[in-house]
Structure formats: C-alpha cells, structure tokens
Amino acid sequence: MKFPFDKFQELYPDNKSCLDHLFTAKYGNIKVCPGCDRGTKFHRVKKRTCYECQFCGYQLFPLAGTIFEKTRTPLKKWFHAMYLMTASKNGVSAKELQRILGVTYKCAWRMGHQIRKTMAGNLHQKFDKDVQVDEALIGGRNKDPNRKKHSTTKQSVFGIVEPKGNVMAIVVPNRERMTLFPIIAKHIKKGVCVVSDDFSTYSTLSKYGYNHQVVNHSGWQWANKEGYTTNAIEGFWSLLKRSLKGTHVWVSKKYLQCYIDECVFRYNNRKIEEPMFNVVLKNVFWVSQFHQPSLRLRR
C-alpha cells in the first residue's frame, strides 16, 4: 500500500505526535490508573517521555522495552528513519540516514540496526506447501583463479521460499548436508515438494520424506520436465545482493543476518494492504532491549 511522504508528515509532524501514537498503541484508551485503581486521565509530562495520572501521579512510559528506550535522538527522526527504510526498495545506508536526518554516523548506524531488530523474521515458521531451496555466497573473494567454490572467503546463506509466498533466509557456516538438512527438517513439513538445483548436498532429500524435484542448472536447464523451477529463490537472491552491493556496499559477517532480515521483511510484506511503516511500528513493542544485546559502534 502506498504511504506518501506528505501523509507521513501530516500524521507525525513533531515529537509530541510520535509519542502520543506510541502511548496509544501500547496502552490503548486506558481509563483506570494501575496505581490508584481510579477512573482517570493520563497527561503527558513536559520535558519527559512519560504520561502521568491526574490523581496519584502514577507514570506510564511508552518507550520502555522498545528500541526507543533511553534514546536522546528526537522521536521525529526515529520515525523518519523508519519511513525511509520501509519506503525504499533496496534499503537505506547509514551514511544516507546521516545526511538526511542530520545526525552523526554513529547515531545513524545504531538507528538503522535498532530498526532492523523490528524486521527480524520468524525463525519458527513451518512451510507446508511447495517450496524452493537454495544457497547463496555473499561477499568475499574467490582465492582460486579457477573460481572453485571450495576455495572462497564468501559467507554462505541458505534460503527457503514458497513461490508467491514468504521466504526465510539464514546465515550458515557452510553448505554441507549436516548443516542444511536440520534446517530443512525444522522448517519444511514432511511430504512437501522441495525444488532445488543439482547441487550434490540435496541428492538424498527424497530419503527423508520429501518429494524432491531437481532442476539441472549445470546442464543449462531452468525448468525440469514437470515444470518446476527455482526462479522464486533466485529472484530473492538478486534482490538481496542488489541491496547489499548497491546500497550498503559492504557489510561485516557479524551483522550480515541483520541486513538479510531487513530484505526478508520487505519481501514478505510486499503484498500487504497496510503500509510497511505501520507494521514496523507495531513490532517495536515486542523487541525488548533486555532480550537482545545493544549494538554499539566502536570508536
């Protein structure tokens, strides 16, 4: 769904409107004070990010347990950063956030990663329809002049996609069977049709209760006799690599999963009726600073 910038400015013109939205989203139309159990109204405390009961002074903090907790950056800039990261097709780099928001690079880098926390995918989902599986090599360089895949510094990423549906991608240490098969068994229901290329790792998939279909890419085959392809997962890899190489240019292995989660979020929400910005706002309340380590940029 389209969410033009003028509509965003109309809904969130200043810090007060952003804080009011977070308070309403977290506490709803609260009418009874948890402190004195009386019917009351909560009024915003000036110069603080909290709301206070008109009778007993009990305070509610809508930013507690969210990515905004203890932030010194104005909420308007946080909301603007979330809008940019959800409105762009290939993401926004930290340097671009720095230029647009007028903050330091350290602040922009941290804001970007905190927002990516709200985009983290569901690693417990189970695929029960036809899926395509594949692995990709991200970054690094091939050390061998003959470009052999076994002599590379690239990072392996494994992906599962449901054609015209959702995708899941996870960083893996290697592309061996002992690494990939437990992920397949966890996330793909037995009996489902699994389509892959002719990579030897997948050769025994049929023995584990899956209807395995192979597309022989080595023989220049892009669709097998039954009409199965791996176009959906290949399309996702192209989106991911275009985002990493074109927007961020370089990412470290340590934070690669964060950037993959952002791309997965954008892919899985491509057909929703509400703006992606609203989805991110809803997610900020289940991303707690106490359950995920804070990200800090060393000087």
Side-chain angles (χ1 to χ4, degrees):
M1 180 179 178
K2 293 182 179 179
F3 188 40
F5 186 64
D6 56 351
K7 181 67 174 179
F8 167 78
Q9 288 182 309
E10 179 183 344
L11 293 174
Y12 310 105
D14 50 30
N15 294 324
K16 180 181 179 301
S17 60
C18 297
L19 187 63
D20 288 341
H21 175 86
L22 292 174
F23 178 81
T24 303
K26 186 172 184 178
Y27 298 105
N29 188 20
I30 184 170
K31 297 182 179 179
V32 179
C33 176
C36 61
D37 292 329
R38 299 170 61 182
T40 184
K41 291 183 180 180
F42 282 86
H43 302 282
R44 189 171 67 89
V45 179
K46 291 184 178 181
K47 298 183 179 180
R48 298 190 67 186
T49 58
C50 67
Y51 293 76
E52 189 175 75
C53 173
Q54 63 179 350
F55 296 116
C56 67
Y58 185 87
Q59 295 182 342
L60 297 176
F61 294 81
L63 305 188
T66 71
I67 61 175
F68 311 119
E69 186 175 6
K70 297 182 180 180
T71 182
R72 297 181 181 179
T73 306
L75 282 177
K76 180 66 169 61
K77 293 189 176 183
W78 275 99
F79 275 50
H80 194 178
M82 287 191 294
Y83 176 83
L84 293 173
M85 293 180 66
T86 53
S88 58
K89 183 178 180 180
N90 295 319
V92 181
S93 67
K95 289 297 293 184
E96 190 168 357
L97 286 178
Q98 177 189 3
R99 291 190 294 267
I100 296 175
L101 301 179
V103 297
T104 63
Y105 176 75
K106 180 180 179 179
C107 177
W109 184 91
R110 183 180 180 275
M111 289 173 70
H113 276 289
Q114 292 291 83
I115 295 171
R116 290 184 187 96
K117 285 184 180 181
T118 68
M119 300 178 176
N122 180 13
L123 297 180
H124 302 287
Q125 62 182 316
K126 194 85 170 181
F127 295 92
D128 56 2
K129 297 181 181 178
D130 294 359
V131 295
Q132 300 173 11
V133 299
D134 193 25
E135 71 291 332
L137 297 175
I138 305 297
R141 293 183 179 180
N142 287 313
K143 296 180 179 179
D144 191 279
N146 297 323
R147 297 174 178 264
K148 293 181 180 179
K149 293 184 179 180
H150 296 291
S151 57
T152 180
T153 59
K154 295 178 179 290
Q155 178 63 54
S156 300
V157 181
F158 178 67
I160 306 172
V161 65
E162 200 173 79
K164 299 183 180 180
N166 290 347
V167 67
M168 186 198 78
I170 184 172
V171 176
V172 292
N174 53 63
R175 302 183 300 157
E176 297 177 1
R177 190 169 302 167
M178 296 294 293
T179 300
L180 302 186
F181 273 35
I183 301 175
I184 293 175
K186 179 180 179 181
H187 296 283
I188 304 178
K189 188 177 179 180
K190 296 289 185 180
V192 169
C193 178
V194 179
V195 186
S196 71
D197 56 20
D198 55 326
F199 187 42
S200 59
T201 295
Y202 306 116
S203 60
T204 59
L205 262 179
S206 57
K207 297 181 180 179
Y208 291 86
Y210 297 103
N211 177 16
H212 186 208
Q213 296 291 333
V214 180
V215 182
N216 188 9
H217 287 175
S218 299
W220 298 94
Q221 183 188 58
W222 312 119
N224 64 11
K225 295 180 180 180
E226 288 75 17
Y228 292 99
T229 70
T230 58
N231 292 347
I233 190 66
E234 295 291 351
F236 173 74
W237 293 142
S238 67
L239 290 173
L240 175 62
K241 292 179 180 179
R242 186 158 56 243
S243 175
L244 294 179
K245 187 175 182 180
T247 301
H248 303 288
V249 182
W250 182 89
V251 298
S252 67
K253 291 183 179 181
K254 182 178 180 180
Y255 298 112
L256 177 58
Q257 185 66 55
C258 299
Y259 294 95
I260 293 176
D261 288 340
E262 178 187 1
C263 193
V264 167
F265 172 86
R266 198 173 289 114
Y267 184 91
N268 290 346
N269 291 280
R270 67 194 184 280
K271 296 181 180 180
I272 61 174
E273 296 181 357
E274 65 176 331
M276 290 188 193
F277 177 83
N278 293 347
V279 179
V280 172
L281 271 183
K282 293 177 182 178
N283 290 348
V284 298
F285 295 108
W286 59 263
V287 180
S288 174
Q289 296 287 347
F290 298 102
H291 293 87
Q292 297 195 30
S294 60
L295 297 171
R296 295 182 180 180
L297 184 64
R298 293 183 178 180
R299 294 182 178 178

